[in-house]
Amino acid sequence: MKSIAVFASGSGSNFQAIQEGIERGDIDATIKVVVTDKPGAYVTERAAAKNIPVLALSPKAYDSKEAYEQAILAELRKNEVEFLVLAGYMRLIGATLLEAYPNHIINIHPSLLPSFPGKDAIGQALAHGVKITGVTVHYVDAGMDTGRIIMQRAVDVVEGNREETEAAIHAIEHQLYPEVLKYLFNSSENRVR
Ligand code: GRF
């Protein structure tokens, strides 16, 4: 069983989908802690409802990104966390966490990377008029959504309709992230140690 931490800055619907995948017995993992850089984010309520501890640290309270990540790292080590799962964490991971967790950090992004990295990927896709976009789960490196791709799924754009396009993308995210974690962690198909 893998011990994981989920990092989130917002609503936490992907956190919830992962936790439900664990509760169903689909994913051989346990979420030891939810890490957020936004103490008021809705993900903290979702975590509380699932009795999962939250580490809410405001980066502004630290002198440097390194000091902020060292504080997170201390808590991850205390919880013997083996794998970091980013789910709407709106911050670049720095050298401290990358070096502590080489090839053990993954992220979900709402586009078919390498198209539309960074902020508002769905808005970027709509602005370009693409007809197909999608969801990517990838390893995290020092760049912005540039790490090696693990899995992708396509989603049709609902032309001129951001709300419906967004809903379709989120629905696919909530299927794909649990599937990827199952593929990575479960013993019969274990891809990471
Ligand atoms: C998702 O669309 C994810 O792909 C992006 O941020 C959003 C997070 O949504 N990186 P939620 O907080 O999991 O509901």
Side-chain angles (χ1 to χ4, degrees), residues 5-169:
V6 174
F7 283 52
S9 305
S11 150
S13 68
N14 281 283
F15 152 74
Q16 177 126 0
I18 293 164
Q19 176 57 21
E20 287 171 1
I22 291 171
E23 288 169 9
R24 280 197 305 274
D26 286 350
I27 306 167
D28 191 17
T30 175
I31 302 177
K32 290 293 192 75
V33 60
V34 167
V35 177
T36 187
D37 58 333
K38 294 266 185 300
Y42 187 56
V43 68
T44 62
E45 285 173 46
R46 292 189 199 259
K50 296 287 189 187
N51 288 316
I52 295 174
V54 174
L55 178 68
L57 300 180
S58 177
K60 285 192 295 247
Y62 295 84
D63 288 342
S64 63
K65 185 172 189 123
E66 189 189 343
Y68 166 68
E69 289 198 341
Q70 286 292 355
I72 295 173
L73 185 55
E75 202 66 25
L76 299 177
R77 293 221 160 110
K78 208 187 304 166
N79 285 286
E80 298 185 337
V81 166
E82 300 167 275
F83 209 90
L84 311 189
V85 175
L86 313 188
Y89 183 66
M90 302 304 285
R91 203 164 275 285
L92 273 181
I93 296 290
T96 304
L97 289 175
L98 283 172
E99 282 164 22
Y101 286 95
N103 298 313
H104 284 66
I105 309 177
I106 62 173
N107 181 44
I108 190 162
H109 183 78
S111 76
L112 291 175
L113 290 171
S115 289
F116 314 132
K119 290 214 169 111
D120 192 21
I122 300 171
Q124 294 183 53
L126 289 166
H128 275 81
V130 297
K131 308 304 172 211
I132 296 168
T133 182
V135 175
T136 302
V137 178
H138 63 94
Y139 285 102
V140 171
D141 63 14
M144 175 76 86
D145 302 319
T146 49
R148 189 159 59 84
I149 289 168
I150 303 168
M151 276 193 207
Q152 293 185 305
R153 197 150 295 159
V155 174
D156 287 332
V157 170
V158 185
E159 269 184 64
N161 192 329
R162 185 181 172 117
E163 212 171 288
E164 278 184 35
T165 303
E166 237 164 35
I169 287 177

